[in-house]
Amino acid sequence: MTVNTDRSAPDDELLDDGSIADSVTPWPISWVAEQMLGLPEEALVPHGRHVAKIDRTWLRRLEDAPQGRLVLVTGISPTPAGEGKTTTTVGLTDGLRHLGVRASAALREPSMGPVFGMKGGAAGGGWSQVVPMVDINLHFTGDFAAIASANNLLSALIDNHLHQGNALDIDPRRITWKRVLDVNDRALREVVIGLGGPSNGVPRQDGWDIVVASELMAIFCLATSLTDLKERIGRIVVAYTRDRRPVTAADLQAQEAMTILLSTALQPNLVQTLEHSPAFVHGGPFANIAHGCSSVLATRTALATSEVVVTEAGFGADLGAEKFIDLKCRLSGLRPGAAVVVATVRALKFHGGVALPDLQEEDICAVRAGAANLRRHLQNLREVFRIPAVVAINRFPQDTDAEIAAVREIAAAEGAEAVEATHAAHGGAGAAGLAQAVQRLLAEDDGEVSFCYPDEADMVTKAEAVAHRVYRASQVTWSATARRQLKQIETDGYGHLPVCFAKTPYSFSTDPSRLGAPEDHVVDIREVRLRAGAGFVVLMTGDVMTMPGLPRRPASATMSIEEDGRVSGLS
Amino acid sequence: MTVNTDRSAPDDELLDDGSIADSVTPWPISWVAEQMLGLPEEALVPHGRHVAKIDRTWLRRLEDAPQGRLVLVTGISPTPAGEGKTTTTVGLTDGLRHLGVRASAALREPSMGPVFGMKGGAAGGGWSQVVPMVDINLHFTGDFAAIASANNLLSALIDNHLHQGNALDIDPRRITWKRVLDVNDRALREVVIGLGGPSNGVPRQDGWDIVVASELMAIFCLATSLTDLKERIGRIVVAYTRDRRPVTAADLQAQEAMTILLSTALQPNLVQTLEHSPAFVHGGPFANIAHGCSSVLATRTALATSEVVVTEAGFGADLGAEKFIDLKCRLSGLRPGAAVVVATVRALKFHGGVALPDLQEEDICAVRAGAANLRRHLQNLREVFRIPAVVAINRFPQDTDAEIAAVREIAAAEGAEAVEATHAAHGGAGAAGLAQAVQRLLAEDDGEVSFCYPDEADMVTKAEAVAHRVYRASQVTWSATARRQLKQIETDGYGHLPVCFAKTPYSFSTDPSRLGAPEDHVVDIREVRLRAGAGFVVLMTGDVMTMPGLPRRPASATMSIEEDGRVSGLS
């Protein structure tokens, strides 16, 4: 991606993300740990010189440490114009450090599949990046590979159980556990396995998801210890018997081996920003098809070693922030003290109906029209979740002062401050104003949040609460399949779990083309997927896919590597 | 595995492998590198405290260093009675260190799939192990995951090409590149993918192999640099067009991205034995379905930093040693100065017809009968490959002196020394005699080897040379499919490549039940697989599988892990 060159101040040299990252010498990760977090070298498990995991024994020592404040970075509904949420998370962390606050970031690990497709990586941009970028965007410390291994071991155990006589009486037509890969591979969405005769197992229909969509990724990110991880894994419902009783991973004696495969990975990863602020990058469920937050263990480790932790939830606040609060906070006890809603003038104009090629023209009317999207996210944060919020205007060079003023005015009408930030071009210094605004919110905050629905509501009520209160839908409908699945889930005793919508990120509605702040729309739930180990139920809407495909011209075709290991074309 | 307790001297406490490993405090890996190999800390990329990769820049610096001598550890045809080849490789390395020789080991990385099945790990046993055992047996430094990622990216690119219009005119029925996982999963051997309608790609038959059977694993182990790796990947033939022209990975512009995914992994891994001898553990193709040797880069790194490098090839000498010489040595220029053939009295009795439960009874006649297997391997090494060899008798406590004497006598009749070794019970000290015998061979050796067939022979001649000279078959037959594939391979200009048999390891023949030294058997080649990137052709015989399955009671069911990360049931 070179998109960030757009954001440089006009007198700056136009540098791409890779060149900017290469121009900075990262500190040894042990310096970052010691000087920024007060963690000694023995608290680290090094992975090369610039990446480390936090040793398990130290995670336990940190449990009783005083906790810092948590800041959630979320955004308006994403557009192809770009918002820069990760970039702002990094910039704000560096900005807080400029004010003398011991801040750190808590981010998700990028998924490798999309890196070779279209999306590119997810390590921030411009002067607000986490490094080493290539490592973070690819295998990193092997966490996703470990999750895939454990996930696929469970699949192999299920099919082996069928093959070896099926003592549990698993119905091969009702196996819900899917295999996963961290590759964009549409041809694996629907498959038939076990062909070729009796020595190859039992033929059945199956499918693959991308790792970031898996229940095991969600479990990994919600687990608070190895023991909690193991217990959650044991509770996973993988299939149903012929008389419709749930079969769990514990029934297949899988939970110990799967936990063994995940034990190293469960230790949070530490890297640094270009300004040497600590960044915990750990776990990475997508926010459209999963719960979209980095790991609870990493957040807790960051809170135990920092005054302020800036964490990002995926996509817009309808998905990322809702799930952050209703799932991650509800299940873990974490509480954000403030939220930052990232917006750009360009994206607001796009929401206001301007076509992508025309976004560089000043258009105050379009900004005002598109700001309906921003307004609604702000209202949701304040009225539904009761979190104080500030708007971060991630300023691009073409944005005019009049457009910026319009955004400020709109935010002010909602009782929120809007602060322009130029961290992509100027690093943490460009986000110092934003950091000050965040500090003001934290000083006033009472540390409480509201959930969108109470724990004890039934599942239909929970789904309707999110659809009506957050998405502003007028109606929720359930397909016949979804109703049947809901009934089974309630019969089996899982009716009390919270809900996780799988929905397009591009609209409050389930139709990605309805930008701005659509109303009177219908949320059609076509499928309900139990995630008993993670502790929630996924409600599938629209045509959201849990395994992406590659585009006509995959990014892989334009990458290259030299004999010295130098990579280009990846960012 | 607790089988190694059998090998402890009777007055020893009976300890399992895990307890033995835990009783030793490993050195920081930087000490091992500096004191044992003369490598400074900056030559290492740490992965935790006891594992490191050798930094790429150092691999190039070491290219001009003086080279040590190479010793190949191979074995008799394996039996369920156990031979201990990895254990002997470790013991011999430690034994050489006892004599003051700067020795190191070069081993394959274990495959994770079988760890959860039946086989257990592959880190040696007793007092001759490499550590940290759990890490080495599981994800280790992520090399296999990286190979799987790169392999499966290529698969996704192939199916995406079909989906996006198929400009290369790939015949979906003639795609030879398979997806891979490091899981034992028989249900994936034969599958149909791309189901569910036009948005899910093009339906076609497909299949999965285990990572260690893949061409990419072979390429990884034969590559001499990143550039060589990239060129080999570009040459991979993944499919044929409708008019039967080969389609390569380069045609899909896949080689740069795949090399990027492999670049970290290509740096050799360094660990230590329980006696702190250095062990390079890198790459791991199986020897029955692939070429069975650890990486050329690791062997070269070891040779540039050690006086003697002890390396292991998989299974018996008919598979491992033949492929080590005819493939790894032929393609890399490496030359072993001596070979060690590992045998046990128990395994020889099994080859001589004794049933597994009766192996503890003294039976000189059975030893003599079974020694036909040992004799033939010794003859092959001397007559076909012209490598001086010594027999290592991996002594078990029940073995009688008369049985050992019988083995010595048989070896002597073949002009070879047989030395008993007790390294499993006594560490390197128990292999000092073996180490001395190896040193005598090295002192006499001229550093040359013979190949089984010349480069310029045609493929049928090459196959017959291995079958007649090494397997002692009376006849080689080719199925109609194999003949057609052979013709295509020759037409496409790959007829000059060397051959890699996929054959059962349990017999010289293709029938695993024919123990000892069968003659007059027929080698039936049912399929020919081109491996243009690796630089050889695989000849499939018998019913050898390239994706294993799990047993009725998988090892995963008996493993466990505690909150402090301590694992049991894995070795």
Side-chain angles (χ1 to χ4, degrees):
Chain A
M1 282 196 295
T2 53
V3 55
N4 293 294
T5 56
D6 292 343
R7 294 179 204 163
S8 305
D11 53 343
D12 273 12
E13 246 188 294
L14 293 183
L15 291 174
D16 67 20
D17 291 353
S19 307
I20 290 173
D22 288 344
S23 72
V24 174
T25 303
W27 287 2
I29 196 65
S30 56
W31 293 14
V32 176
E34 193 176 342
Q35 298 191 26
M36 300 298 200
L37 299 170
L39 284 175
E41 188 147 5
E42 67 257 33
L44 304 183
V45 183
H47 278 247
R49 289 181 225 305
H50 302 118
V51 178
K53 282 186 168 283
I54 308 297
D55 192 86
R56 174 168 298 112
T57 54
W58 277 80
L59 296 182
R60 287 199 286 179
R61 279 201 220 182
L62 291 171
E63 274 170 11
D64 301 323
Q67 300 284 301
R69 307 294 303 276
L70 187 58
V71 176
L72 172 67
V73 175
T74 180
I76 60 170
S77 303
T79 73
E83 290 73 39
K85 211 159 58 268
T86 305
T87 305
T88 302
T89 305
V90 172
L92 174 56
T93 306
D94 288 335
L96 285 162
R97 287 263 167 194
H98 276 254
L99 305 183
V101 178
R102 288 194 297 104
S104 62
L107 298 168
R108 287 172 299 158
E109 301 179 53
S111 172
M112 196 162 58
V115 167
F116 296 100
M118 208 150 49
K119 180 174 167 288
W127 291 94
S128 292
Q129 297 184 52
V130 285
V131 287
M133 182 269 282
V134 172
D135 302 66
I136 294 171
N137 275 326
L138 299 181
H139 312 291
F140 199 30
T141 54
D143 296 342
F144 285 20
I147 292 169
S149 291
N151 185 101
N152 297 337
L153 173 62
L154 180 52
S155 293
L157 290 169
I158 294 166
D159 280 298
N160 187 56
H161 186 84
L162 294 182
H163 175 75
Q164 303 285 359
N166 197 8
L168 292 169
D169 196 33
I170 292 172
D171 185 341
R173 304 161 307 177
R174 291 199 168 82
I175 294 171
T176 49
W177 189 253
K178 292 166 102 178
R179 290 172 170 83
V180 298
L181 276 189
D182 195 9
V183 177
N184 283 17
D185 196 345
R186 69 171 65 72
L188 297 180
R189 283 175 191 152
E190 292 191 29
V191 302
V192 171
I193 63 169
L195 300 173
S199 66
N200 292 357
V202 177
R204 67 179 182 90
Q205 209 179 331
D206 195 19
W208 294 71
D209 286 337
I210 191 160
V211 171
V212 286
S214 67
E215 178 173 6
L216 198 54
M217 175 63 86
I219 290 173
F220 182 86
C221 288
L222 292 168
T224 53
S225 66
L226 271 181
T227 305
D228 181 46
L229 176 69
K230 194 197 295 185
E231 286 169 1
R232 286 173 178 275
I233 291 174
R235 290 198 293 267
I236 296 170
V237 171
V238 298
Y240 293 88
T241 61
R242 284 182 196 273
D243 55 1
R244 309 278 177 95
R245 282 173 296 106
V247 177
T248 65
D251 292 332
L252 291 158
Q253 298 175 285
Q255 74 277 23
E256 299 281 348
M258 289 173 70
T259 306
I260 290 170
L261 282 170
L262 292 170
S263 66
T264 297
L266 195 65
Q267 301 172 117
N269 306 304
L270 178 66
V271 295
Q272 64 191 291
T273 71
L274 291 177
E275 298 184 3
H276 316 300
S277 302
F280 292 87
V281 178
H282 196 226
F286 280 170
N288 53 342
I289 50 189
H291 79 284
C293 309
S294 67
S295 83
V296 167
L297 270 176
T299 311
R300 287 196 177 163
T301 308
L303 287 169
T305 52
S306 318
E307 288 170 335
V308 175
V309 175
V310 185
T311 191
E312 179 199 358
F315 291 123
D318 54 330
L319 288 169
E322 190 274 319
K323 293 170 180 181
F324 179 82
I325 295 160
D326 278 327
L327 296 172
K328 182 171 174 175
C329 290
R330 186 192 297 267
L331 299 171
S332 69
L334 293 167
R335 296 289 180 268
V340 175
V341 181
V342 180
T344 60
V345 166
R346 293 157 53 87
L348 292 176
K349 286 191 280 193
F350 189 85
H351 273 293
V354 178
L356 208 49
D358 303 327
L359 290 177
Q360 56 272 40
E361 304 299 320
E362 185 185 77
D363 189 339
I364 312 278
C365 289
V367 170
R368 286 186 197 283
N373 185 273
L374 171 62
R375 257 198 314 270
R376 184 174 288 174
H377 286 299
L378 281 173
Q379 287 161 8
N380 284 348
L381 285 169
R382 194 202 307 184
E383 292 164 21
V384 180
F385 302 113
R386 305 206 175 274
I387 306 179
V390 58
V391 177
I393 311 172
N394 182 11
R395 186 161 188 169
F396 279 56
Q398 318 90 308
D399 300 348
T400 68
D401 288 343
E403 288 174 323
I404 300 283
V407 181
R408 280 190 207 281
E409 200 179 294
I410 291 152
E414 296 297 331
E417 199 178 350
V419 183
E420 65 180 299
T422 59
H423 44 278
H426 305 116
L434 177 63
Q436 284 165 336
V438 166
Q439 281 197 296
R440 285 192 291 273
L441 290 185
L442 287 176
E444 292 160 18
D445 177 61
D446 62 0
E448 289 301 309
V449 300
S450 286
F451 301 117
C452 183
Y453 48 80
D455 288 359
E456 58 277 11
D458 66 30
M459 212 163 273
V460 169
T461 307
K462 286 172 176 166
E464 292 190 335
V466 176
H468 293 311
R469 299 187 68 196
V470 179
Y471 305 160
R472 314 286 178 102
S474 54
Q475 203 189 340
V476 178
T477 63
W478 302 73
S479 74
T481 304
R483 277 199 303 273
R484 204 167 48 239
Q485 290 164 331
L486 185 62
K487 197 167 158 224
Q488 171 93 48
I489 286 167
E490 285 169 344
T491 304
D492 295 337
Y494 301 108
H496 61 287
L497 294 178
V499 298
C500 176
F501 270 94
K503 183 182 78 71
T504 177
Y506 301 112
S507 170
F508 276 99
S509 78
T510 60
D511 174 356
S513 68
R514 296 191 63 185
L515 305 182
E519 290 187 341
D520 270 341
H521 58 88
V522 177
V523 171
D524 189 18
I525 298 170
R526 64 177 159 84
E527 201 187 326
V528 181
R529 296 183 185 170
L530 174 62
R531 299 287 183 251
F536 54 72
V537 161
V538 176
L539 307 175
M540 303 289 298
T541 73
D543 52 3
V544 166
M545 295 278 187
T546 48
M547 170 57 96
L550 290 169
R552 181 171 291 272
R553 188 159 168 76
S556 58
T558 55
M559 297 176 178
S560 63
I561 181 166
E562 304 304 317
E563 180 59 39
D564 63 4
R566 234 186 120 74
V567 169
S568 28
L570 190 154
S571 78
Chain B
M1 282 195 295
T2 52
V3 54
N4 293 294
T5 55
D6 292 343
R7 295 179 202 161
S8 305
D11 52 344
D12 272 13
E13 246 188 294
L14 292 182
L15 290 174
D16 66 22
D17 292 352
S19 308
I20 290 173
D22 289 343
S23 72
V24 174
T25 303
W27 286 3
I29 197 65
S30 55
W31 294 13
V32 175
E34 193 177 342
Q35 298 190 27
M36 300 297 199
L37 299 170
L39 284 174
E41 188 146 5
E42 66 256 34
L44 304 183
V45 183
H47 278 248
R49 292 181 222 304
H50 301 118
V51 179
K53 282 187 168 283
I54 309 298
D55 192 86
R56 175 168 297 110
T57 54
W58 277 79
L59 296 182
R60 288 199 288 180
R61 279 200 220 180
L62 291 171
E63 275 170 11
D64 301 322
Q67 300 284 301
R69 307 294 304 277
L70 187 58
V71 175
L72 172 67
V73 175
T74 181
I76 60 169
S77 304
T79 73
E83 290 73 39
K85 212 157 60 267
T86 305
T87 305
T88 302
T89 304
V90 172
L92 173 57
T93 306
D94 289 335
L96 285 161
R97 288 262 166 192
H98 276 254
L99 305 182
V101 179
R102 287 193 300 102
S104 62
L107 297 168
R108 287 173 298 158
E109 300 179 53
S111 173
M112 196 161 59
V115 167
F116 296 99
M118 210 150 48
K119 181 174 166 290
W127 290 94
S128 292
Q129 297 185 52
V130 284
V131 287
M133 182 269 283
V134 172
D135 302 66
I136 295 171
N137 275 327
L138 299 181
H139 312 290
F140 199 29
T141 55
D143 296 343
F144 286 20
I147 292 170
S149 291
N151 185 103
N152 296 338
L153 173 62
L154 180 52
S155 294
L157 290 169
I158 294 166
D159 279 297
N160 187 56
H161 186 85
L162 294 182
H163 176 75
Q164 303 285 0
N166 197 9
L168 292 169
D169 196 34
I170 292 171
D171 186 342
R173 303 162 306 178
R174 291 198 169 82
I175 294 170
T176 49
W177 188 254
K178 293 166 102 178
R179 290 172 171 84
V180 299
L181 276 189
D182 195 9
V183 177
N184 283 17
D185 196 345
R186 69 171 67 72
L188 297 180
R189 284 175 192 153
E190 292 191 31
V191 303
V192 171
I193 64 170
L195 300 173
S199 65
N200 291 356
V202 178
R204 67 179 182 89
Q205 209 179 331
D206 195 18
W208 295 71
D209 286 337
I210 190 160
V211 171
V212 286
S214 68
E215 177 173 4
L216 199 54
M217 175 62 86
I219 289 173
F220 182 87
C221 288
L222 291 168
T224 54
S225 66
L226 271 181
T227 305
D228 181 47
L229 176 69
K230 194 195 295 184
E231 288 169 0
R232 286 172 178 274
I233 290 173
R235 289 198 294 268
I236 296 169
V237 171
V238 298
Y240 293 88
T241 61
R242 284 182 196 274
D243 55 1
R244 309 280 176 93
R245 283 172 297 107
V247 177
T248 65
D251 293 331
L252 291 158
Q253 299 174 286
Q255 75 277 24
E256 299 281 349
M258 289 172 70
T259 306
I260 290 171
L261 282 170
L262 292 170
S263 66
T264 298
L266 195 66
Q267 301 172 117
N269 306 304
L270 178 66
V271 295
Q272 65 192 292
T273 71
L274 291 178
E275 297 184 4
H276 316 300
S277 301
F280 293 87
V281 177
H282 196 225
F286 280 170
N288 53 341
I289 51 189
H291 80 285
C293 310
S294 67
S295 83
V296 167
L297 269 176
T299 312
R300 287 196 177 163
T301 308
L303 286 169
T305 51
S306 317
E307 289 170 335
V308 175
V309 174
V310 185
T311 192
E312 180 199 357
F315 290 123
D318 54 331
L319 288 170
E322 190 273 320
K323 293 170 180 181
F324 179 82
I325 295 161
D326 278 327
L327 296 172
K328 181 170 175 175
C329 290
R330 185 192 298 266
L331 298 171
S332 68
L334 292 168
R335 297 289 180 267
V340 176
V341 181
V342 179
T344 60
V345 165
R346 292 157 53 87
L348 292 176
K349 286 191 279 194
F350 189 83
H351 273 292
V354 177
L356 208 50
D358 303 327
L359 290 177
Q360 56 272 41
E361 303 299 319
E362 185 185 78
D363 189 340
I364 312 278
C365 289
V367 170
R368 286 186 198 282
N373 185 274
L374 171 62
R375 258 200 312 272
R376 184 174 288 175
H377 286 299
L378 281 173
Q379 287 160 10
N380 285 347
L381 285 168
R382 195 203 307 184
E383 293 164 20
V384 179
F385 303 111
R386 305 205 174 276
I387 305 179
V390 57
V391 177
I393 311 172
N394 182 11
R395 187 162 186 169
F396 278 56
Q398 318 90 308
D399 300 348
T400 68
D401 289 343
E403 288 173 322
I404 300 283
V407 182
R408 280 190 207 282
E409 199 180 294
I410 291 152
E414 296 297 330
E417 200 177 350
V419 183
E420 65 181 298
T422 59
H423 43 277
H426 304 117
L434 176 62
Q436 285 165 336
V438 165
Q439 281 197 295
R440 286 193 292 273
L441 289 185
L442 287 176
E444 292 160 17
D445 176 62
D446 61 2
E448 290 300 310
V449 300
S450 287
F451 299 117
C452 185
Y453 48 80
D455 288 359
E456 59 276 12
D458 65 29
M459 211 162 274
V460 170
T461 307
K462 286 171 176 166
E464 291 190 335
V466 176
H468 292 312
R469 299 187 68 196
V470 179
Y471 305 160
R472 314 287 178 100
S474 54
Q475 202 189 341
V476 179
T477 63
W478 302 71
S479 74
T481 304
R483 278 200 302 273
R484 204 167 49 238
Q485 290 163 330
L486 185 62
K487 197 166 158 225
Q488 171 93 47
I489 285 167
E490 285 170 343
T491 305
D492 295 337
Y494 301 108
H496 62 287
L497 295 178
V499 298
C500 177
F501 270 94
K503 183 183 77 72
T504 177
Y506 302 111
S507 170
F508 277 99
S509 78
T510 60
D511 173 356
S513 69
R514 297 192 63 184
L515 305 181
E519 290 187 341
D520 270 340
H521 58 89
V522 176
V523 171
D524 189 18
I525 297 170
R526 64 179 160 85
E527 201 187 325
V528 181
R529 297 183 184 170
L530 174 63
R531 298 288 183 251
F536 54 73
V537 160
V538 175
L539 307 176
M540 303 289 297
T541 72
D543 53 2
V544 166
M545 294 279 188
T546 49
M547 172 55 98
L550 290 169
R552 181 172 290 272
R553 187 159 169 76
S556 58
T558 55
M559 297 176 178
S560 64
I561 181 166
E562 303 304 317
E563 181 59 39
D564 63 3
R566 233 185 121 74
V567 170
S568 30
L570 191 154
S571 79

